[in-house]
Amino acid sequence: MKKLIVASITPFDGQDQINEQAVKQLWDRNLAEGADGFFIGGSSGECFLLSERERIHTYELGAQYLDRAEIFAHVGAIRTAEAVTYAKEARALGIQNIAATPPFYFGFSAKEVANYYYDIASAAGAPVLYYNIPSSTHRELDPANPEIRELLKSGAIGAVKHTNLNLYQMERIRNVNPQIKCYGGFENCMVAFLAFGCDGFIGSNFDFMLPQYRKVMELYLDRQDDEARRLQAECNSILDVVLKNGLCASLKYIAGKQGIDAGNVRRPMLPLNEAQKAEIDVALAEHLEIQ
């Protein structure tokens, strides 16, 4: 079975606090739409704009859904001790899946990055999902590097969220260790990721467009390739507009149009202006029939 995991947004209320009611409203709807689980505190959740207490609180909310969904807690940080703290908190709440971006900004060596993951896995008592998003971290996951190759073979990494269009790299990761699960992180290339044998997807746009992407996957797995590509293109026409106007702000605006008050993004990100909202409205009406 290929899993569809929603990379969740973090709704805020009018006082810029986490809106628990909106979080649960969104998750309940996603589960009704067929979501297999939630990736909490990732990029679309504005992870690095949350305080330490807020990040842990999102895990607390996620733990309330453990009987209904697979929960992934993103614990990535620049400082190993901080990531370890988040991992311990999430595991204490019963969350099994721990995910982390590699540390960034300081240009850490491959050995330093590997040790960061060894430390998190040791603290969590479980393998870690390597959140591979080089467009944001400016670090490539290089399976040819001896330190990274050993990390992938060690058992400290159990899965990869491959938010990277380099599918050859995903194949090479699996070549190093066939036991590692690989989740596509770019739903705009769902058909291509499926062709390379990914284990499922962790997607931001599942927040509002999960049924459409589930249909793409079902069509492809049913060998209806042409129809899968047609629906993929339809979804991508919406995604083009979402990415053009800012992913997080667009997702929150669309959630509002679907009846879930997700509030605004955290500064320095900016909310959408009226022209941007109008452009998204046109795309939703044309491709998703949302008025």
Side-chain angles (χ1 to χ4, degrees), residues 47-48 55 59 73-87 98-104 108-124 126-132 137 139 147-148 151 154 156-157:
C47 53
F48 298 116
R55 290 185 71 174
Y59 309 153
H74 173 243
V75 306
I78 298 178
R79 187 167 54 95
T80 297
E82 183 180 355
V84 163
T85 294
Y86 295 143
I98 303 302
T101 50
F104 52 91
F108 299 103
S109 69
K111 183 168 185 167
E112 289 169 330
V113 170
N115 283 333
Y116 164 88
Y117 281 104
Y118 291 136
D119 288 343
I120 296 173
S122 177
V128 178
L129 179 148
Y130 188 118
Y131 185 177
N132 183 31
T137 62
R139 171 170 290 279
E147 296 286 352
I148 299 304
L151 171 67
S154 70
I157 301 299

Side-chain angles (χ1 to χ4, degrees), residues 230-291:
R230 185 202 64 78
L231 184 55
Q232 175 85 82
E234 194 80 6
C235 293
N236 287 353
S237 293
I238 300 171
L239 185 56
D240 284 347
V241 178
V242 166
L243 294 176
K244 173 186 174 184
N245 290 294
L247 177 64
C248 292
S250 296
L251 291 177
K252 288 191 165 183
Y253 173 68
I254 295 169
K257 289 184 68 67
Q258 293 180 322
I260 298 171
D261 184 6
N264 287 321
V265 289
R266 281 262 170 93
R267 295 180 78 89
M269 288 194 286
L270 296 173
L272 303 182
N273 59 39
E274 293 307 313
Q276 291 172 317
K277 291 177 182 177
E279 187 174 11
I280 290 174
D281 289 346
V282 170
L284 293 177
E286 182 177 353
H287 300 286
L288 204 57
E289 298 183 356
I290 296 177
Q291 301 297 327

Side-chain angles (χ1 to χ4, degrees), residues 2 23 37 57 69 83 96 145 149 178 185 205 224 229 242 257 262 268:
K2 308 286 187 182
V23 170
H57 186 46
Q96 301 297 312
N145 180 284
R149 191 176 185 86
N205 292 281
Q224 299 183 53
R229 285 191 289 267
V242 166
K257 289 184 68 67

Side-chain angles (χ1 to χ4, degrees), residues 100-212:
T101 50
F104 52 91
Y105 183 79
F106 284 106
F108 299 103
S109 69
K111 183 168 185 167
E112 289 169 330
V113 170
N115 283 333
Y116 164 88
Y117 281 104
Y118 291 136
D119 288 343
I120 296 173
S122 177
V128 178
L129 179 148
Y130 188 118
Y131 185 177
N132 183 31
I133 182 167
S135 60
S136 295
T137 62
H138 305 289
R139 171 170 290 279
E140 287 286 347
L141 196 172
D142 180 8
N145 180 284
E147 296 286 352
I148 299 304
R149 191 176 185 86
E150 186 59 33
L151 171 67
L152 295 173
K153 293 168 65 175
S154 70
I157 301 299
V160 173
K161 180 181 187 291
H162 195 67
T163 309
N164 190 341
L165 294 177
N166 185 347
L167 294 179
Y168 169 70
Q169 185 185 79
M170 187 180 81
E171 185 276 328
R172 290 290 86 190
I173 292 167
R174 294 283 279 276
N175 186 65
V176 172
N177 184 350
Q179 301 304 313
I180 290 178
K181 293 185 180 297
C182 288
Y183 295 96
F186 276 129
E187 55 269 37
N188 58 343
C189 292
M190 178 173 274
V191 170
F193 273 96
L194 288 168
F196 267 76
C198 73
D199 295 287
F201 296 87
I202 301 173
S204 303
N205 292 281
F206 297 167
D207 279 282
F208 76 97
M209 208 162 39
L210 182 63
Q212 287 74 18

